[in-house]
Amino acid sequence: MGCSKNLVDSELVMKQLEANGYTCSHDSENPEGEIAVVNTCGFIGDAKQESINAILSFVQAKEEGELKQLYVMGCLSERYREELEKEIPQVDKFYGKFDYMKLIKDLGKAEKTEFCGRRHLTTPKHYAFLKISEGCNRMCAYCAIPIITGRHKSRPKQDILDEVRSMVAQGVKEIQVIAQELTYYGVDIDGKRHIADLISDMADIPGVEWIRLHYAYPKDFPYELLDVIREKKNVCKYLDVALQHVSDNVLERMHRHVNKQQTIDFIKRLRREVPGIHIRTTLMVGFPGETDDDFEQLMEFVKEARFERMGAFAYSHEEQTYAGEHYEDDVPEEVKQERLDRLMDLQQEISAEIEAEKVGKVMKVIIDRKEGDYYIGRTEFCSPEVDPEVLIMSEEPLTQGEFYNVKITGSEEFDLYAEVVS
């Protein structure tokens, strides 16, 4: 359940289980195994409910004799373990965010040290996620992540580079670099930001075709990273940076430590220093104290910034967070939804215009899969699962995981159509 960081944890567990003789399947729609492990998300209300529903569905399967053992791990059980143990006693054992490898011992097996840090990749073999750190030092008022994961902890650089080499040896060509806040990488080691050096060294590894960066933070951004994005051909001109809002009132209440003008200047600098960069951001509506004027400022900002990729969600009042403890959730749900709808309608218009500008251009794509009559590919500006895709008609068979040059022949709000060119 939840984010790609959870997926990495699941893949680590799967590798250990397989090393101990188990056969594992991931996220099966019709699970047939004797043991189920649910890796949960505990970030916001909807995600927590989705995780609980998944647990309860397996509880039912266990009660009906279709499942012998049920284990739960991850962020939800890290945050609410005692409550979950009382409320759902049918679960054999709950693990948190960091002790989940105890599952191996509890199954009567032993953790295989030679497989520590190795993963059973569940993504298509040509791309994989790479987690470079865990935790976050940004105590944003709305966010439960530091409560769940603790403070930022960077992985050793050599371990990361060794994992990349291992991935390449398995056929991975595209690396999705992920962290709660990747631009903080290295600060906990020696007080300095080393993300630019890390990505540069990663780009120099033979076989790495694309590197894409997820989850940056605008405050104290290490601008030397932009040099790497601009100059290294295999580092995608793409940056995922969650901005959340733009009005000074809301940013201050959120404890984001940036203001409106700094945010505007940040986006302008990204575009100036990396021509053609595609920026993905996430925005929030309905934060406590958000006025009509604050929201209109956000709408105007989105019109001016013209984000190539944007997601948005309505504020969820979370216990233990600063906002949950100190603010009244004073924006009515219907107002949150109306603002969210308006914001996404605006983004749909912007996305349609941006994608239409690509018609007639020749672009490099990687093929993910085939659906019906179309091969589905992505450009360097598209992260898997969350971004637009390129639908390609081809009389000649195309190979999953291979790169092709295509000419864009049409566009919709979020997707492109193309044909292969020589």
Side-chain angles (χ1 to χ4, degrees):
M1 317 297 293
C3 67
S4 51
K5 294 180 287 295
N6 264 14
L7 179 65
V8 170
D9 294 340
S10 295
E11 292 174 341
L12 289 166
V13 173
M14 290 180 72
K15 193 67 174 181
Q16 282 292 330
L17 289 169
E18 290 173 338
N20 276 283
Y22 291 98
T23 299
C24 299
S25 62
H26 174 261
D27 206 17
S28 174
E29 294 182 3
N30 299 294
E32 297 178 352
E34 296 181 349
I35 302 170
V37 182
V38 183
N39 189 1
T40 57
C41 180
F43 180 40
I44 59 175
D46 288 347
K48 289 189 289 187
Q49 189 59 54
E50 186 179 5
S51 290
I52 290 170
N53 290 343
I55 296 169
L56 293 177
S57 70
F58 282 105
V59 165
Q60 182 178 351
K62 186 179 179 185
E63 290 177 338
E64 293 174 355
E66 298 175 4
L67 187 69
K68 289 186 177 179
Q69 297 176 66
L70 173 59
Y71 299 93
V72 174
M73 60 180 276
C75 293
L76 188 75
S77 50
E78 176 72 28
R79 194 174 176 191
Y80 302 107
R81 189 181 313 203
E82 290 186 7
E83 296 94 320
L84 289 168
E85 287 173 344
K86 293 176 182 178
E87 295 294 327
I88 317 178
Q90 299 92 332
V91 173
D92 291 278
K93 192 165 183 179
F94 289 90
Y95 305 92
K97 178 69 177 168
F98 302 104
D99 64 346
Y100 53 81
M101 282 301 179
K102 292 180 180 177
L103 167 65
I104 308 300
K105 183 179 179 181
D106 291 337
L107 288 171
K109 306 295 182 178
E111 189 172 350
K112 304 291 187 181
T113 55
E114 65 269 31
F115 289 97
C116 286
R118 294 176 61 182
R119 293 151 52 192
H120 171 120
L121 298 180
T122 60
T123 49
K125 66 178 183 178
H126 57 279
Y127 74 80
F129 295 96
L130 176 70
K131 184 159 59 171
I132 64 170
S133 64
E134 190 69 83
C136 185
N137 287 17
R138 307 287 190 181
M139 300 299 291
C140 299
Y142 52 84
C143 187
I145 287 176
I147 300 168
I148 299 168
T149 63
R151 296 182 66 79
H152 181 101
K153 186 175 181 180
S154 303
R155 290 179 60 193
K157 180 180 179 181
Q158 197 56 52
D159 287 359
I160 295 171
L161 297 179
D162 287 345
E163 184 173 9
V164 172
R165 294 186 185 96
S166 174
M167 288 178 174
V168 170
Q170 296 176 64
V172 173
K173 300 177 181 180
E174 178 184 359
I175 308 292
Q176 318 291 337
V177 183
I178 55 173
Q180 272 84 15
E181 207 246 280
L182 62 84
T183 42
Y184 203 80
Y185 177 79
V187 174
D188 57 307
I189 297 175
D190 64 4
K192 299 177 182 178
R193 295 172 186 269
H194 289 284
I195 185 65
D197 293 339
L198 174 67
I199 300 304
S200 180
D201 288 352
M202 195 183 300
D204 289 339
I205 294 175
V208 175
E209 298 281 350
W210 276 353
I211 299 171
R212 193 174 289 101
L213 307 179
H214 292 272
Y215 320 125
Y217 191 93
K219 173 68 173 174
D220 300 324
F221 184 88
Y223 286 101
E224 61 271 18
L225 178 61
L226 299 184
D227 298 332
V228 177
I229 297 174
R230 183 182 62 252
E231 295 168 7
K232 294 287 186 179
K233 298 299 183 183
N234 56 351
V235 179
C236 299
K237 290 183 171 61
Y238 178 107
L239 186 65
D240 189 336
V241 51
L243 298 175
Q244 306 301 355
H245 216 282
V246 76
S247 90
D248 286 334
N249 170 49
V250 176
L251 288 172
E252 183 176 359
R253 289 174 63 81
M254 284 181 168
H255 298 172
R256 292 288 287 175
H257 306 293
V258 294
N259 61 34
K260 179 177 182 176
Q261 192 57 53
Q262 289 169 335
T263 302
I264 293 170
D265 292 344
F266 171 68
I267 295 301
K268 289 181 178 178
R269 184 167 180 179
L270 294 182
R271 297 202 184 282
R272 182 173 66 251
E273 295 198 19
V274 186
I277 192 171
H278 278 44
I279 303 171
R280 163 167 278 282
T281 195
T282 305
L283 301 173
M284 182 191 300
V285 300
F287 188 77
E290 182 189 57
T291 64
D292 289 341
D293 179 66
D294 292 327
F295 176 70
E296 293 304 328
Q297 289 184 54
L298 183 62
M299 290 285 285
E300 191 61 32
F301 172 62
V302 171
K303 288 179 186 177
E304 294 294 325
R306 292 180 63 79
F307 297 108
E308 288 80 9
R309 318 284 183 235
M310 190 198 85
F313 62 101
Y315 169 75
S316 172
H317 213 50
E318 293 296 314
E319 63 270 27
Q320 299 176 298
T321 64
Y322 185 91
E325 300 294 332
H326 295 85
Y327 297 153
E328 179 185 354
D329 189 7
D330 57 357
V331 180
E333 292 301 319
E334 61 270 20
V335 175
K336 291 180 184 178
Q337 189 60 51
E338 186 268 338
R339 289 176 180 173
L340 182 61
D341 291 343
R342 282 186 59 198
L343 188 62
M344 292 310 299
D345 286 345
L346 172 60
Q347 178 59 27
Q348 183 169 320
E349 295 175 9
I350 293 169
S351 180
E353 293 169 359
I354 290 172
E355 296 304 287
E357 292 170 359
K358 295 171 181 171
V359 174
K361 294 183 177 180
V362 174
M363 306 183 77
K364 179 181 177 182
V365 300
I366 193 167
I367 302 299
D368 280 342
R369 64 191 185 281
K370 187 177 184 183
E371 286 185 5
D373 296 331
Y374 291 100
Y375 289 93
I376 310 299
R378 289 176 293 106
T379 70
E380 68 172 294
F381 308 119
C382 305
S383 190
E385 300 179 5
V386 295
D387 285 335
E389 296 176 317
V390 184
L391 285 68
I392 305 161
M393 290 288 289
S394 176
E395 294 182 0
E396 298 296 323
L398 305 183
T399 304
Q400 182 188 41
E402 293 296 322
F403 290 96
Y404 297 88
N405 289 323
V406 300
K407 183 177 182 180
I408 307 302
T409 58
S411 69
E412 294 179 344
E413 288 89 345
F414 296 109
D415 290 322
L416 298 170
Y417 293 87
E419 58 187 23
V420 178
V421 296
S422 57

